[in-house]
Amino acid sequence: MSVPYRGPQLLSHPMYNKSTAFTREERAAFGLTGLLPDTVSTMEMQAERVHGNIVRKAEPIERYIGLAALQDRNEHLFYRVLVDHLEEYLPIVYTPTVGHACQIYSRIFRRARGLWITPRQRGQVYEALGNAPFEDVRLIVATDNESILGLGDQGAGGMGIPIGKLALYTAAAGIHPAQTLPISLDVGTDNQALLEDPLYIGWRAPRLRGEEYYSLVEEFVQAVRRRFPKALLQWEDFRKGTAFALLDRYRKVLLSFNADVQGTAAVALAGVIAGSRLLGLPLARHRVVILGAGAAGVGIARLVCDALHRAGLEGTDLRRAVAVLDSHGLVVEGEGPAEDYRRELAWPQSLADAHGLAPGHDLLAVVKALHPTVLIGVSGATGAFTEKVLREMAAHAERPLVFPLSNPTSQAEAQPEDALRWTEGRALVSTGSPFPSVVHGGRTRRVGQGNNALVFPGIGLGSLIAEAREVTDGMFRAAAERLADEMRQEDLESGALYPPISALRRVTAHIAEAVVRQARADGVGPDAPGEDVAARVAQAMWDPGYIRLVPA
């Protein structure tokens, strides 16, 4: 690779810096003589040293800071360490630790990464995108920071999410870091504590709303189309109404998707499919209750309804099979908020009356009335799956599927140990954040992590390989089915409904293959007769390692 930097400037460039791994020939050619210790290290030696330094840090947030510092000085080594220790470091660069990092972002800020678009750049967003560190951007993760995990408005601190998501894209999907770009649409914050913090680094003003907000987003989308015409945009952690408005407005304008809405839905559906296969229960016989009517809850309900319809349910039977609750109770037509995005999932009043569910009935009342086989939590309501709720569910379901998916760990609707105890060990429990295995009745049960990290890297990689014009619902359905297919016998025997994170790179490759094929079938990408999709995916996945550098 030809590199235009020399000496200290080269050592400070994270994409080209090899530190002690520069060969003697490279040291001479790039003016590095005397700037490094004498020994020429291998990447393996460096990785061992770095890993040892990171794991000596007792607190997860300190490990996060240590890994961020490594990424800022040597990207190739950072990704080598991340890929080699993915199961150990995923909870650090992603949920739950990234949530803490977002909360204190202004106080641990070291070095800017990605781009920050604020109202100050209005009319100049295209020029701002031109300041991206690399020109061939293929993958963008953008957030407006308003609904960070289950933590709410984190202002500029939300940038930790796009950075973490793209780190996973590179580690799991092998998308080269020079082709990725995290973006914060920093349009202000309504978090008063941040506005009053003298160290806050973001746009210090209340959030833009209404037309001012949407006009800035429109300028941003058009600028992305012009500046990076081959890029995929992932919308991340937008407030529920905004998330659906942007997804519906731009999904056919710009290659894009929302991982909170569609990625989480695919993961949830995969867990239900895997559970059905394990129990020998046809998909159409499930009754699904979803606690949380935000972006994730509505997204899950849409995809599950589609799957149940394909399994043969129609009309009232289909409507009865999926119930969504918000903080006011069962979502019923004419009751509670009337946002368009959730109207299609509201039960008719007559159906609610037939089950004795008046407005305001809580989760326990719904479980008593409906006898669900699947309970999914995306509410951010800590402990909402109470002992009474789970015992009532277990009284009518031989092997209840229980998914407390809210992130971070502190927001989970139930602790896996409690869920197993309250169901006499019969529940199949999967969570959104990582939890340790649980010993119940003398048997070790692995808690599967039903996190959208299992899906979105494969969706992104497959969409790019397919040169798709749109990310279709069919592509998410294909991803869910492929993820369920990835379950191995040892996974199912352990009580888990998802493969371990250690298998993420393998899983991502297979999901990408399924997505490419579905994109071709859906007619949103060019035909490629005779294409060896598996070989194409394998070829596209970058593996971190140093290459020989030559002066420009």
Side-chain angles (χ1 to χ4, degrees), residues 323-366:
V324 180
L325 288 80
D326 63 10
S327 58
H328 304 288
L330 179 68
V331 176
V332 177
E333 291 176 355
E335 301 290 340
E339 293 97 335
D340 289 341
Y341 66 85
R342 64 186 223 161
R343 196 167 287 152
E344 67 192 88
L345 302 169
W347 272 29
Q349 188 63 59
S350 59
L351 185 59
D353 291 342
H355 287 81
L357 293 171
H361 267 104
D362 62 8
L363 178 61
L364 179 58
V366 172

Short mmCIF file of all heavy atoms in Angstrom, two decimals, residues 323-366:
data_model
loop_
_atom_site.label_atom_id
_atom_site.label_comp_id
_atom_site.label_asym_id
_atom_site.label_seq_id
_atom_site.Cartn_x
_atom_site.Cartn_y
_atom_site.Cartn_z
N ALA A 323 -50.27 -9.41 20.61
CA ALA A 323 -50.78 -8.30 21.41
C ALA A 323 -49.61 -7.42 21.84
O ALA A 323 -48.59 -7.92 22.31
CB ALA A 323 -51.53 -8.81 22.64
N VAL A 324 -49.77 -6.12 21.68
CA VAL A 324 -48.73 -5.15 22.03
C VAL A 324 -49.23 -4.27 23.17
O VAL A 324 -50.37 -3.78 23.14
CB VAL A 324 -48.36 -4.28 20.81
CG1 VAL A 324 -47.28 -3.27 21.18
CG2 VAL A 324 -47.90 -5.15 19.65
N LEU A 325 -48.38 -4.07 24.18
CA LEU A 325 -48.73 -3.23 25.32
C LEU A 325 -47.79 -2.05 25.39
O LEU A 325 -46.58 -2.17 25.10
CB LEU A 325 -48.64 -4.00 26.64
CG LEU A 325 -49.71 -5.05 26.93
CD1 LEU A 325 -49.40 -6.35 26.21
CD2 LEU A 325 -49.81 -5.29 28.43
N ASP A 326 -48.32 -0.90 25.80
CA ASP A 326 -47.48 0.24 26.14
C ASP A 326 -47.65 0.52 27.63
O ASP A 326 -48.18 -0.32 28.37
CB ASP A 326 -47.83 1.46 25.27
CG ASP A 326 -49.25 1.95 25.46
OD1 ASP A 326 -49.93 1.48 26.41
OD2 ASP A 326 -49.69 2.81 24.69
N SER A 327 -47.23 1.69 28.08
CA SER A 327 -47.31 2.00 29.51
C SER A 327 -48.74 2.12 30.00
O SER A 327 -48.99 2.12 31.21
CB SER A 327 -46.54 3.29 29.80
OG SER A 327 -47.08 4.36 29.04
N HIS A 328 -49.71 2.23 29.07
CA HIS A 328 -51.12 2.35 29.45
C HIS A 328 -51.84 1.01 29.40
O HIS A 328 -53.01 0.93 29.76
CB HIS A 328 -51.83 3.33 28.52
CG HIS A 328 -51.21 4.68 28.47
ND1 HIS A 328 -51.29 5.59 29.51
CD2 HIS A 328 -50.43 5.28 27.52
CE1 HIS A 328 -50.63 6.70 29.19
NE2 HIS A 328 -50.10 6.52 27.99
N GLY A 329 -51.18 -0.04 28.93
CA GLY A 329 -51.81 -1.34 28.80
C GLY A 329 -51.89 -1.78 27.36
O GLY A 329 -51.15 -1.30 26.49
N LEU A 330 -52.81 -2.71 27.09
CA LEU A 330 -52.98 -3.23 25.74
C LEU A 330 -53.30 -2.10 24.77
O LEU A 330 -54.14 -1.23 25.04
CB LEU A 330 -54.12 -4.25 25.73
CG LEU A 330 -54.46 -4.90 24.38
CD1 LEU A 330 -53.34 -5.81 23.93
CD2 LEU A 330 -55.77 -5.68 24.50
N VAL A 331 -52.60 -2.09 23.62
CA VAL A 331 -52.84 -1.07 22.61
C VAL A 331 -54.15 -1.42 21.88
O VAL A 331 -54.24 -2.44 21.19
CB VAL A 331 -51.67 -0.98 21.60
CG1 VAL A 331 -52.00 0.02 20.50
CG2 VAL A 331 -50.40 -0.57 22.34
N VAL A 332 -55.14 -0.57 22.07
CA VAL A 332 -56.48 -0.79 21.53
C VAL A 332 -56.87 0.41 20.68
O VAL A 332 -56.51 1.55 20.98
CB VAL A 332 -57.50 -0.97 22.68
CG1 VAL A 332 -58.92 -1.14 22.13
CG2 VAL A 332 -57.13 -2.17 23.53
N GLU A 333 -57.60 0.16 19.62
CA GLU A 333 -58.03 1.24 18.73
C GLU A 333 -58.79 2.32 19.51
O GLU A 333 -59.68 2.00 20.31
CB GLU A 333 -58.93 0.70 17.62
CG GLU A 333 -58.19 -0.18 16.62
CD GLU A 333 -59.13 -0.78 15.58
OE1 GLU A 333 -60.36 -0.58 15.71
OE2 GLU A 333 -58.65 -1.46 14.66
N GLY A 334 -58.38 3.56 19.29
CA GLY A 334 -59.08 4.67 19.93
C GLY A 334 -58.63 4.96 21.34
O GLY A 334 -59.11 5.91 21.97
N GLU A 335 -57.69 4.17 21.88
CA GLU A 335 -57.19 4.39 23.24
C GLU A 335 -55.71 4.74 23.21
O GLU A 335 -54.95 4.20 22.40
CB GLU A 335 -57.38 3.14 24.11
CG GLU A 335 -58.83 2.69 24.24
CD GLU A 335 -59.65 3.66 25.07
OE1 GLU A 335 -59.06 4.44 25.84
OE2 GLU A 335 -60.88 3.63 24.96
N GLY A 336 -55.27 5.64 24.08
CA GLY A 336 -53.86 5.99 24.19
C GLY A 336 -53.38 6.79 23.00
O GLY A 336 -54.18 7.29 22.19
N PRO A 337 -52.06 6.96 22.85
CA PRO A 337 -51.50 7.73 21.73
C PRO A 337 -51.95 7.17 20.39
O PRO A 337 -52.16 5.96 20.24
CB PRO A 337 -49.99 7.57 21.93
CG PRO A 337 -49.82 7.22 23.37
CD PRO A 337 -51.02 6.42 23.74
N ALA A 338 -52.11 8.05 19.41
CA ALA A 338 -52.66 7.63 18.11
C ALA A 338 -51.64 7.71 16.99
O ALA A 338 -51.97 8.03 15.86
CB ALA A 338 -53.88 8.48 17.78
N GLU A 339 -50.36 7.43 17.30
CA GLU A 339 -49.34 7.52 16.26
C GLU A 339 -49.65 6.54 15.13
O GLU A 339 -50.04 5.39 15.36
CB GLU A 339 -47.95 7.19 16.83
CG GLU A 339 -47.43 8.22 17.82
CD GLU A 339 -47.68 7.80 19.27
OE1 GLU A 339 -48.63 7.02 19.50
OE2 GLU A 339 -46.95 8.26 20.15
N ASP A 340 -49.44 7.00 13.92
CA ASP A 340 -49.75 6.18 12.74
C ASP A 340 -48.97 4.87 12.74
O ASP A 340 -49.50 3.83 12.33
CB ASP A 340 -49.44 6.96 11.46
CG ASP A 340 -50.43 8.10 11.23
OD1 ASP A 340 -51.52 8.05 11.81
OD2 ASP A 340 -50.09 9.03 10.47
N TYR A 341 -47.70 4.92 13.20
CA TYR A 341 -46.85 3.75 13.04
C TYR A 341 -47.34 2.54 13.84
O TYR A 341 -47.00 1.40 13.52
CB TYR A 341 -45.40 4.08 13.44
CG TYR A 341 -45.20 4.38 14.91
CD1 TYR A 341 -45.00 3.37 15.83
CD2 TYR A 341 -45.20 5.69 15.38
CE1 TYR A 341 -44.82 3.64 17.18
CE2 TYR A 341 -45.01 5.98 16.71
CZ TYR A 341 -44.82 4.95 17.61
OH TYR A 341 -44.63 5.23 18.94
N ARG A 342 -48.15 2.74 14.85
CA ARG A 342 -48.60 1.60 15.65
C ARG A 342 -50.08 1.29 15.49
O ARG A 342 -50.60 0.35 16.07
CB ARG A 342 -48.29 1.84 17.13
CG ARG A 342 -49.02 2.99 17.75
CD ARG A 342 -48.54 3.25 19.16
NE ARG A 342 -49.68 3.52 20.05
CZ ARG A 342 -49.61 3.42 21.36
NH1 ARG A 342 -48.48 3.06 21.94
NH2 ARG A 342 -50.65 3.67 22.10
N ARG A 343 -50.77 2.08 14.67
CA ARG A 343 -52.21 1.93 14.52
C ARG A 343 -52.57 0.56 13.96
O ARG A 343 -53.57 -0.05 14.34
CB ARG A 343 -52.72 3.06 13.61
CG ARG A 343 -54.21 3.27 13.65
CD ARG A 343 -54.57 4.60 12.97
NE ARG A 343 -54.21 5.74 13.79
CZ ARG A 343 -53.89 6.94 13.31
NH1 ARG A 343 -53.87 7.13 12.01
NH2 ARG A 343 -53.59 7.93 14.12
N GLU A 344 -51.75 0.04 13.05
CA GLU A 344 -52.04 -1.25 12.41
C GLU A 344 -52.00 -2.41 13.39
O GLU A 344 -52.55 -3.49 13.11
CB GLU A 344 -51.02 -1.51 11.29
CG GLU A 344 -49.60 -1.72 11.82
CD GLU A 344 -48.54 -1.69 10.73
OE1 GLU A 344 -48.04 -0.59 10.41
OE2 GLU A 344 -48.23 -2.77 10.21
N LEU A 345 -51.37 -2.20 14.57
CA LEU A 345 -51.22 -3.29 15.52
C LEU A 345 -52.21 -3.20 16.68
O LEU A 345 -52.25 -4.08 17.53
CB LEU A 345 -49.78 -3.28 16.09
CG LEU A 345 -48.70 -3.40 15.02
CD1 LEU A 345 -47.34 -3.12 15.61
CD2 LEU A 345 -48.73 -4.77 14.37
N ALA A 346 -52.99 -2.12 16.72
CA ALA A 346 -53.96 -1.96 17.78
C ALA A 346 -55.10 -2.98 17.64
O ALA A 346 -55.58 -3.23 16.54
CB ALA A 346 -54.52 -0.54 17.76
N TRP A 347 -55.50 -3.55 18.75
CA TRP A 347 -56.63 -4.48 18.73
C TRP A 347 -57.93 -3.70 18.56
O TRP A 347 -58.11 -2.63 19.16
CB TRP A 347 -56.68 -5.25 20.05
CG TRP A 347 -55.86 -6.50 20.07
CD1 TRP A 347 -54.73 -6.74 19.37
CD2 TRP A 347 -56.12 -7.64 20.87
NE1 TRP A 347 -54.26 -7.99 19.67
CE2 TRP A 347 -55.09 -8.57 20.60
CE3 TRP A 347 -57.10 -7.99 21.78
CZ2 TRP A 347 -55.03 -9.81 21.21
CZ3 TRP A 347 -57.04 -9.23 22.39
CH2 TRP A 347 -56.02 -10.14 22.10
N PRO A 348 -58.87 -4.22 17.79
CA PRO A 348 -60.21 -3.62 17.78
C PRO A 348 -60.83 -3.69 19.18
O PRO A 348 -60.57 -4.65 19.93
CB PRO A 348 -60.99 -4.51 16.79
CG PRO A 348 -59.94 -5.23 16.00
CD PRO A 348 -58.76 -5.38 16.91
N GLN A 349 -61.62 -2.71 19.52
CA GLN A 349 -62.23 -2.70 20.84
C GLN A 349 -63.07 -3.95 21.08
O GLN A 349 -63.11 -4.51 22.19
CB GLN A 349 -63.11 -1.45 21.01
CG GLN A 349 -63.64 -1.26 22.41
CD GLN A 349 -62.54 -1.03 23.44
OE1 GLN A 349 -61.76 -0.09 23.31
NE2 GLN A 349 -62.44 -1.92 24.42
N SER A 350 -63.73 -4.42 20.02
CA SER A 350 -64.57 -5.62 20.15
C SER A 350 -63.74 -6.85 20.54
O SER A 350 -64.19 -7.69 21.33
CB SER A 350 -65.31 -5.89 18.85
OG SER A 350 -64.40 -6.07 17.77
N LEU A 351 -62.53 -6.96 20.01
CA LEU A 351 -61.66 -8.09 20.34
C LEU A 351 -61.19 -7.99 21.79
O LEU A 351 -61.15 -8.99 22.51
CB LEU A 351 -60.47 -8.14 19.38
CG LEU A 351 -59.52 -9.34 19.52
CD1 LEU A 351 -60.27 -10.65 19.31
CD2 LEU A 351 -58.37 -9.22 18.52
N ALA A 352 -60.82 -6.78 22.21
CA ALA A 352 -60.42 -6.58 23.60
C ALA A 352 -61.57 -6.90 24.54
O ALA A 352 -61.39 -7.58 25.57
CB ALA A 352 -59.94 -5.15 23.80
N ASP A 353 -62.78 -6.46 24.18
CA ASP A 353 -63.95 -6.74 25.03
C ASP A 353 -64.21 -8.24 25.13
O ASP A 353 -64.58 -8.75 26.19
CB ASP A 353 -65.19 -6.04 24.45
CG ASP A 353 -65.12 -4.53 24.57
OD1 ASP A 353 -64.30 -4.03 25.38
OD2 ASP A 353 -65.86 -3.84 23.85
N ALA A 354 -64.01 -8.94 24.01
CA ALA A 354 -64.26 -10.38 24.00
C ALA A 354 -63.34 -11.13 24.95
O ALA A 354 -63.68 -12.22 25.43
CB ALA A 354 -64.11 -10.92 22.58
N HIS A 355 -62.17 -10.55 25.22
CA HIS A 355 -61.22 -11.17 26.15
C HIS A 355 -61.27 -10.52 27.53
O HIS A 355 -60.40 -10.79 28.37
CB HIS A 355 -59.80 -11.08 25.58
CG HIS A 355 -59.55 -12.01 24.44
ND1 HIS A 355 -59.94 -11.73 23.15
CD2 HIS A 355 -58.95 -13.24 24.39
CE1 HIS A 355 -59.59 -12.73 22.35
NE2 HIS A 355 -59.00 -13.66 23.09
N GLY A 356 -62.23 -9.65 27.74
CA GLY A 356 -62.37 -9.01 29.04
C GLY A 356 -61.27 -8.03 29.36
O GLY A 356 -60.94 -7.83 30.53
N LEU A 357 -60.68 -7.42 28.31
CA LEU A 357 -59.56 -6.51 28.51
C LEU A 357 -60.02 -5.08 28.26
O LEU A 357 -60.03 -4.59 27.14
CB LEU A 357 -58.40 -6.88 27.57
CG LEU A 357 -57.72 -8.21 27.88
CD1 LEU A 357 -56.76 -8.58 26.77
CD2 LEU A 357 -57.01 -8.16 29.22
N ALA A 358 -60.40 -4.42 29.32
CA ALA A 358 -60.76 -3.01 29.23
C ALA A 358 -59.50 -2.18 29.15
O ALA A 358 -58.40 -2.64 29.51
CB ALA A 358 -61.59 -2.61 30.45
N PRO A 359 -59.59 -0.93 28.67
CA PRO A 359 -58.41 -0.05 28.61
C PRO A 359 -57.74 0.05 29.98
O PRO A 359 -58.41 0.11 31.01
CB PRO A 359 -58.99 1.29 28.17
CG PRO A 359 -60.24 0.93 27.41
CD PRO A 359 -60.79 -0.27 28.11
N GLY A 360 -56.40 0.04 29.96
CA GLY A 360 -55.66 0.19 31.20
C GLY A 360 -55.25 -1.12 31.85
O GLY A 360 -54.53 -1.12 32.84
N HIS A 361 -55.73 -2.24 31.31
CA HIS A 361 -55.32 -3.52 31.89
C HIS A 361 -53.81 -3.70 31.75
O HIS A 361 -53.24 -3.46 30.70
CB HIS A 361 -56.05 -4.68 31.23
CG HIS A 361 -57.31 -5.07 31.94
ND1 HIS A 361 -58.55 -4.74 31.48
CD2 HIS A 361 -57.51 -5.72 33.12
CE1 HIS A 361 -59.48 -5.20 32.31
NE2 HIS A 361 -58.87 -5.80 33.31
N ASP A 362 -53.19 -4.16 32.82
CA ASP A 362 -51.74 -4.28 32.85
C ASP A 362 -51.29 -5.61 32.26
O ASP A 362 -52.09 -6.42 31.78
CB ASP A 362 -51.21 -4.10 34.27
CG ASP A 362 -51.74 -5.18 35.23
OD1 ASP A 362 -52.38 -6.14 34.77
OD2 ASP A 362 -51.49 -5.03 36.44
N LEU A 363 -49.96 -5.84 32.31
CA LEU A 363 -49.38 -7.03 31.69
C LEU A 363 -49.95 -8.30 32.31
O LEU A 363 -50.26 -9.27 31.59
CB LEU A 363 -47.86 -6.99 31.83
CG LEU A 363 -47.10 -8.19 31.28
CD1 LEU A 363 -47.33 -8.36 29.79
CD2 LEU A 363 -45.59 -8.04 31.56
N LEU A 364 -50.09 -8.34 33.62
CA LEU A 364 -50.60 -9.55 34.28
C LEU A 364 -52.01 -9.89 33.77
O LEU A 364 -52.30 -11.06 33.49
CB LEU A 364 -50.60 -9.36 35.79
CG LEU A 364 -51.14 -10.54 36.61
CD1 LEU A 364 -50.34 -11.80 36.33
CD2 LEU A 364 -51.13 -10.20 38.10
N ALA A 365 -52.85 -8.87 33.63
CA ALA A 365 -54.22 -9.12 33.15
C ALA A 365 -54.20 -9.66 31.73
O ALA A 365 -54.99 -10.56 31.38
CB ALA A 365 -55.03 -7.83 33.22
N VAL A 366 -53.32 -9.13 30.89
CA VAL A 366 -53.22 -9.59 29.51
C VAL A 366 -52.72 -11.04 29.46
O VAL A 366 -53.24 -11.86 28.70
CB VAL A 366 -52.30 -8.66 28.70
CG1 VAL A 366 -52.03 -9.22 27.31
CG2 VAL A 366 -52.92 -7.27 28.58
#
